[in-house]
Structures are given as C-alpha cells and as structure tokens.
Amino acid sequence: MRVVVALGGNALLRRGQKLSAENQRENARVACRALAPLAREHELVISHGNGPQVGLLALQGSAYTAVETYPLDVLGAQTDGMIGYILQQELGNELPFETRVATLLTQIEVDPHDRAFDDPTKPIGPVYTAEQAEALRREKGWTIKPDGDSYRRVVPSPLPKRIFGVATIETLLETDCVVICAGGGGIPTMYADDAVPAGRRLVGVEAVIDKDLASALLAVDLRADALIIATDVEAVFSDWGTPQQRAIRRATPRALAVSQFAEGSMGPKVRAACSFVEQTGGIAAIGSIADVEALLRKEAGTIVSLEAGGLDLVGAA
Amino acid sequence: MRVVVALGGNALLRRGQKLSAENQRENARVACRALAPLAREHELVISHGNGPQVGLLALQGSAYTAVETYPLDVLGAQTDGMIGYILQQELGNELPFETRVATLLTQIEVDPHDRAFDDPTKPIGPVYTAEQAEALRREKGWTIKPDGDSYRRVVPSPLPKRIFGVATIETLLETDCVVICAGGGGIPTMYADDAVPAGRRLVGVEAVIDKDLASALLAVDLRADALIIATDVEAVFSDWGTPQQRAIRRATPRALAVSQFAEGSMGPKVRAACSFVEQTGGIAAIGSIADVEALLRKEAGTIVSLEAGGLDLVGAA
C-alpha cells in the first residue's frame, strides 16, 4: 500500500511542553518507533506540522533586532529542514541501514484570490502592545489583531491549490525510499504578476497552509491507498467536552459533514480525511500516533471510508 | 556530464552585506541565472555554504532566552531548509516549468576520533565577555576562545567520512532532476556508543564540516565528471595580496600541493579540488559564480586536472 501519514504538531511536541530541541527529538523518536513498521511494509510518505516551531523562529527573529525577521515562507522552510532532519535521523535509526529515507522541501501553490487573504486568522510570533501593533501595521503592512489584552500578528491560511514536485516524490517511493515532505503544510507560494521572459515567477507567500488539507491533497496526487492523520487524541469525538462525548469509530464523509468540529483542531482534520476519501475512495484514519499501525488496520481511531455506513459511535472513557 | 557545483557563502551573501532575506534572495537569483544553462545541459548537483546563516540563527537563538539555543546540527538543518528553498525557487524560475528541482537534506558521518575534536577552530555565534565565556564553558561544556578583546564559541571542523543518501541523489539525477543537497557541508553526524537493538544509533554532532571538502567527497561518490567551486573571486592566486600575485589558470594537484593558500579561504577549496581530481581523474574548477559556464568549459578560473602540466600562471589585474 501507499500510505501518507500526517504527523500533527502535538505528535512532535506534547501540549504544554517546552519547545526545546531535546523534547522535540524525544517525541520524534517515539513517533518514528511507531512509524517504523509501516516503513518496512508499505510505501510511506510522512508530512508534519510546524506551528510551534515556526512560532519559535518568529520569536527568536524578533528578539534579535540587528536583522529583520525573515518572511514566513522562509521561516517555514527552516522548520522543514529542522523537523525533517530529526525525523529522518530518528526513523533511520529504527530501520535497517540500507533503508532509504529522504527529506524533500515542498512548495505548494495557493490562489492569490483565496478568500483567506481577506481575513487572516492564524496568530504567529510575539505579543505586542497597542502602540507596537500600530507601528507594525504601518511599517510592515501586517494584519494585527487583539489577542486577550495584547496584540498578535495574524496571517492568512489559504487552501492548497497545487503541490509542486509530486513526480519527484513518486520517483523516490518507487525506489523504496521513505519520503518526508510537505512539512508545515508545504511552503506557500504563488505566481507573481511581474511576468519575466522565462515565464511566470513563483514567489513565496506570507501565509500558513493547513497541514492536514495539504496532506490530503498530497495523498490524492500520489494516488495513496490511505491517509492517516496522527495526533495526540485517540479518535474524533462527537459532542467533545460534554458528558455525551463519544468516540466516532467509523463514518462516511457524508455522515461527518453534518457534524461540527472545532476549527483549528479537529475541523480541518475531518475535512482533510473526508476530502481524501471522497476523491479517491481510499481509507482515511484519524487517531493517536501511538496507534498508527492499528489505524492502518482500521482497528483504532476514527476510520473514514465510503463504505463505513453512517456514523458509528462507541462510548468513550 | 554530471557536474557538482559548490556555491560559496560569498556567492550567496556578498562580503560586508547585511544578512537580510532580501539580500540572500537577490544573490541567489543571480547565482541561479548563472546556473540555469548548466541545469539545461547537464546532470547538476548544487551544494552550498551556510556560515553566515548558521551564525545568524545562533545569534537569534541567544537573543531569545526562553528556549535554549538549538544544537549546531539542528541549526545547520534549518539553514539547509532556508537556502535550499530559496535556490530551488529561484532556479525553478529560470528553467522550463517541467524541469524538476529537488532539495534533499544530507547527513554526513564524521569520525569521533577526528583530530579536529581535540582543537575546535570555527567561531560561531555571539561574542562573550570573559565572565560569560567562563560560565558557558562550565554550563555547556563549550570550547570558548579569545576573539580580539572578547570571546567566542569555537566548534570542530572534522573531515567528512561518509555521505548518506548518495543513492537517492543518483536516483533523482537519473530522472533529470536538479538536486540541491549537502548544504553547509552536510549535517554532521556520528554513530553513538550506546548501541540499540536495531543497531548503532546515528546522532547529530556539534561541528561544522567544510563545505568544499564535503562537496568533493560528494562529487567522488557520484562519479561526477566535474567539480566547480564557485565563489566571488575569479581564480586561485599565487602570492595573493602581494605585488607578485598572479591568477593560476591551470594546475595539477601535484603542482598546487607545494603552494600555500589561506586556511578558511582558498586552502580548503584547493584541497577539495585536488582531492576530487586525484581520486577521479575528472576536472575541478575554482572561480566566480558569474563565470560558471566558462569554468565548465575550462575557459575561466583555475582549472585543476591531471593533464594541466604544472602551474600555469598569468598576470592578474
């Protein structure tokens, strides 16, 4: 089988943990131990989030004032290098020496007319005072919104439109190489208007693409058999946070479409899973990274498929 | 032909320039315009330096004190993501849409017994007072040496021993993909003593591998026809900085072996070129990135080959 596993930010950094190199490495090691059996048996593509990591780079960049903080596309590429390296090394340590593992940078095109650009929503970097916020709006053209008593920069989260380099990923999969790619939802890019003789010019965009939606598009483009969205909770729950909460074990995209899930949390994961299943007829699973083998066997988590037969709830702990 | 081009730090950031994202992008654009004709005609691998970039990350990390600065192997991986992305995007803009360009992270093994570990020499990160230096020696075990009136951390620069992932690079070259890899001399790694059941464990090392020596080893492993070391000077000079300085146009490794070149500058470039030529019988060229096509045609720079017939000097401007 060809399998895409999207590693959530919480699979790489547990909630409340300090963003130290040691914590990231330890969590990556645990995740890679869980992933190694999949790498042995299947064509495996690993994508990952980068929210906390790109936030740290923005904070570090702001703290060092001699050089202006780099744009978000560049910071995202930096996190791809960092996280990709740690995953590549730790996964390599769990596999026979001759197994190939490669990390590729992935540029993804977004639509300049995506409505997300009209209403940036993703907070990033330091908190500011009202005065700092005003100055940054003026000087850098940033969108800055209130965040409790202070202010934070917000950036758009446009939909992924086209993934560049899919053929390169396929080439590597066909040589039994595990591929780590599309980190942080991919590096957001678009075609600039200032056409050059060689054709349109691709440029970076200060935005953040949702990593689950990017992973779903990647899984579609790669004609994957399964998309596994790995996080730190065991399944999708209905009525989350209420006494009625129940783990959803099996569902069709249609059954999930009528339910509400938290934006910035389960919402995009459910949409990504449904999108993949609807477009390919494949299987999507949402659940804990620790259960990743069982997820692929449809024995854990929330399994989304066309044949699931509605919404099959079970009582949760 | 299969060609490895090692882009010097000064090809990406001109001497004295501020390390802004804009300057790096502009220089990368110029470099990629020069490289595009090679990408059209040959199998092309691009490696690059990362000295100023990794230094900036160390400074930013020190300025933000809530999280401890990441180890050098991780910072190096971050620069691979950043520089690789910028080169991949700018080179892609100079080439037909269908041309593949991929950036791969490259781990390189170093020898724990390399003598470089006994005498770290590469300064990195902020300058410290004597008191700070003493505290860092004690707390982090860093080697800190005087640097003018202040102090700086120094790290070892061991030789590259083995490049991981060469087969993956070859797979991509065989599908006409331009490969950007071995950034910053590759990510330094070694096998740790704490053997695990799955075998020896590869770990990151706080060191910096010379990017020209790493590129030479890469060119040997890839059985490249040519190694081009691109920098911001037009050639290697004998008697550099004296009235007798002369550009060296053609030389054999044996003829160069008796000359002295500056360490941390031309020295490693000359050694890298000679090492490649001696091991493969191929051609190495050292010169300006602007001349990269002419370098490959042996019409500019310093050409090192077994047939060059001694040291052929010409008068310089």
Side-chain angles (χ1 to χ4, degrees), chain A residues 19 24 70 73 85 93 202, chain B residues 19 24 70 73 85 93 202:
Chain A
L19 191 57
Q24 289 194 69
Y70 285 7
D73 56 323
Y85 158 58
N93 279 331
L202 196 66
Chain B
L19 191 58
Q24 288 194 69
Y70 284 8
D73 56 321
Y85 159 58
N93 279 331
L202 196 67

Side-chain angles (χ1 to χ4, degrees), chain B residues 10 66 82 86 102 109 120 125 139-140 188-189 258 285 316:
Chain B
N10 294 320
M82 168 174 67
I86 295 174
E109 186 184 4
E139 288 161 22
K140 304 203 182 192
T189 62
V258 299

Side-chain angles (χ1 to χ4, degrees), chain B residues 7 20 28 67-68 83 99 117 120 123 134 160 183 239 296 315:
Chain B
L7 279 182
S20 68
V67 171
E68 196 146 334
I83 301 169
T99 309
F117 289 104
E134 190 48 44
D239 302 306
L296 190 56

Side-chain angles (χ1 to χ4, degrees), chain A:
Chain A
M1 283 207 286
R2 180 170 287 184
V3 182
V4 173
V5 176
L7 279 182
N10 294 321
L12 293 171
L13 192 79
R14 271 172 272 141
R15 294 170 206 269
Q17 261 191 334
K18 193 166 174 178
L19 191 57
S20 68
E22 292 75 20
N23 284 341
Q24 289 194 69
R25 191 172 274 282
E26 181 56 33
N27 295 330
R29 190 172 295 158
V30 171
C32 288
R33 272 185 199 142
L35 288 166
L38 269 66
R40 285 198 192 89
E41 294 213 6
H42 303 288
E43 288 184 358
L44 178 63
V45 176
I46 302 170
S47 65
H48 59 82
N50 73 342
Q53 291 82 2
V54 82
L56 176 64
L57 290 181
L59 290 168
Q60 290 174 328
S62 299
Y64 183 74
T65 54
V67 170
E68 195 146 334
T69 309
Y70 285 7
L72 259 184
D73 56 323
V74 176
L75 297 185
Q78 288 184 24
T79 68
D80 291 347
M82 168 173 68
I83 300 169
Y85 158 58
I86 295 174
L87 289 174
Q88 180 172 340
Q89 191 175 73
E90 296 297 341
L91 187 60
N93 279 331
E94 302 296 330
L95 294 170
F97 178 79
E98 60 276 13
T99 309
R100 298 187 188 185
V101 184
T103 305
L104 286 169
L105 299 183
T106 307
Q107 299 184 87
I108 299 190
E109 186 183 4
V110 301
D111 184 345
H113 304 294
D114 192 303
R115 285 185 303 176
F117 289 104
D118 302 329
D119 182 26
T121 52
K122 288 261 181 190
I124 182 97
V127 295
Y128 300 110
T129 65
E131 292 71 31
Q132 289 173 318
E134 191 48 44
L136 288 166
R137 281 190 194 104
R138 212 169 42 233
E139 287 161 23
K140 304 204 182 191
W142 287 358
T143 304
I144 303 205
K145 288 189 179 170
D147 184 62
D149 289 340
S150 49
Y151 293 83
R152 281 185 87 191
R153 180 182 183 194
V154 287
V155 297
S157 186
L159 292 174
K161 184 177 152 190
R162 172 164 54 167
I163 300 181
F164 297 110
V166 172
T168 302
I169 298 167
E170 286 197 291
T171 296
L172 292 182
L173 290 176
E174 284 157 10
T175 63
D176 292 327
C177 181
V178 179
V179 179
I180 300 162
C181 63
I187 307 170
T189 62
M190 60 169 65
Y191 281 101
D193 292 334
D194 58 337
V196 290
R200 295 181 303 164
R201 176 167 290 278
L202 196 66
V203 299
V205 180
E206 296 233 46
V208 172
I209 303 171
D210 181 86
K211 79 108 180 38
D212 294 309
L213 298 179
S215 301
L217 180 56
L218 179 67
V220 170
D221 286 356
L222 288 171
R223 301 179 311 283
D225 301 289
L227 168 65
I228 298 181
I229 298 179
T231 179
D232 63 346
V233 294
E234 55 156 315
V236 182
F237 285 75
S238 64
D239 302 305
W240 173 254
T242 73
Q244 290 77 41
Q245 80 174 34
R246 294 286 186 280
I248 299 172
R249 290 303 177 197
R250 281 163 292 276
T252 58
R254 185 172 295 195
L256 288 169
V258 298
S259 300
Q260 291 289 323
F261 303 98
E263 279 317 306
S265 171
M266 272 302 166
K269 292 187 202 310
V270 169
R271 274 203 301 283
C274 292
S275 164
F276 170 73
V277 170
E278 281 167 345
Q279 288 180 74
T280 67
I283 298 289
I286 302 174
S288 165
I289 177 66
D291 296 331
V292 70
E293 276 192 275
L295 288 168
L296 189 57
R297 292 194 308 261
K298 301 185 263 185
E299 295 170 2
T302 297
I303 306 299
V304 184
S305 75
L306 294 178
E307 297 88 34
L311 204 62
D312 178 5
L313 307 182
V314 301

Side-chain angles (χ1 to χ4, degrees), chain B residues 9-291:
Chain B
N10 294 320
L12 293 171
L13 192 79
R14 272 173 271 142
R15 293 170 205 270
Q17 262 191 333
K18 194 167 174 177
L19 191 58
S20 68
E22 292 74 19
N23 285 340
Q24 288 194 69
R25 191 172 273 282
E26 180 56 33
N27 295 330
R29 190 172 295 157
V30 171
C32 288
R33 274 187 198 139
L35 289 166
L38 269 66
R40 285 198 194 89
E41 295 213 7
H42 303 288
E43 288 184 358
L44 178 62
V45 175
I46 302 170
S47 65
H48 59 82
N50 75 340
Q53 291 83 3
V54 82
L56 176 64
L57 290 181
L59 290 168
Q60 290 175 327
S62 299
Y64 182 75
T65 53
V67 171
E68 196 146 334
T69 310
Y70 284 8
L72 259 183
D73 56 321
V74 176
L75 298 185
Q78 288 184 23
T79 68
D80 291 347
M82 168 174 67
I83 301 169
Y85 159 58
I86 295 174
L87 289 174
Q88 180 172 341
Q89 189 174 74
E90 296 297 340
L91 187 60
N93 279 331
E94 302 296 330
L95 293 170
F97 178 79
E98 60 276 13
T99 309
R100 299 187 190 183
V101 184
T103 304
L104 286 171
L105 299 183
T106 307
Q107 300 184 88
I108 299 190
E109 186 184 4
V110 300
D111 184 346
H113 303 294
D114 192 303
R115 284 185 305 173
F117 289 104
D118 301 327
D119 181 27
T121 52
K122 288 261 181 190
I124 183 95
V127 295
Y128 301 110
T129 64
E131 291 71 32
Q132 289 172 318
E134 190 48 44
L136 288 166
R137 280 190 196 105
R138 211 170 41 233
E139 288 161 22
K140 304 203 182 192
W142 288 357
T143 304
I144 303 204
K145 288 188 180 171
D147 184 62
D149 290 339
S150 48
Y151 293 83
R152 282 185 87 191
R153 179 184 185 194
V154 286
V155 298
S157 186
L159 291 174
K161 184 176 152 191
R162 171 163 56 168
I163 300 181
F164 297 110
V166 172
T168 302
I169 299 167
E170 284 196 292
T171 296
L172 292 182
L173 290 176
E174 284 158 11
T175 62
D176 292 327
C177 181
V178 179
V179 179
I180 300 163
C181 63
I187 307 170
T189 62
M190 59 170 66
Y191 281 102
D193 291 334
D194 58 336
V196 290
R200 294 182 302 165
R201 177 167 288 278
L202 196 67
V203 298
V205 180
E206 296 233 48
V208 172
I209 302 172
D210 181 85
K211 79 110 181 39
D212 294 309
L213 298 178
S215 302
L217 180 57
L218 179 66
V220 170
D221 286 355
L222 288 170
R223 301 179 310 281
D225 301 289
L227 168 66
I228 298 182
I229 298 178
T231 179
D232 64 345
V233 294
E234 54 157 313
V236 182
F237 285 75
S238 64
D239 302 306
W240 174 255
T242 73
Q244 289 78 40
Q245 79 174 35
R246 295 285 186 281
I248 300 172
R249 289 305 175 196
R250 281 162 294 276
T252 57
R254 185 173 296 196
L256 287 170
V258 299
S259 300
Q260 292 288 323
F261 302 98
E263 278 317 304
S265 171
M266 273 300 167
K269 293 187 203 311
V270 169
R271 273 203 301 282
C274 292
S275 165
F276 171 72
V277 170
E278 281 167 344
Q279 288 181 73
T280 66
I283 298 288
I286 302 174
S288 165
I289 177 66
D291 296 332

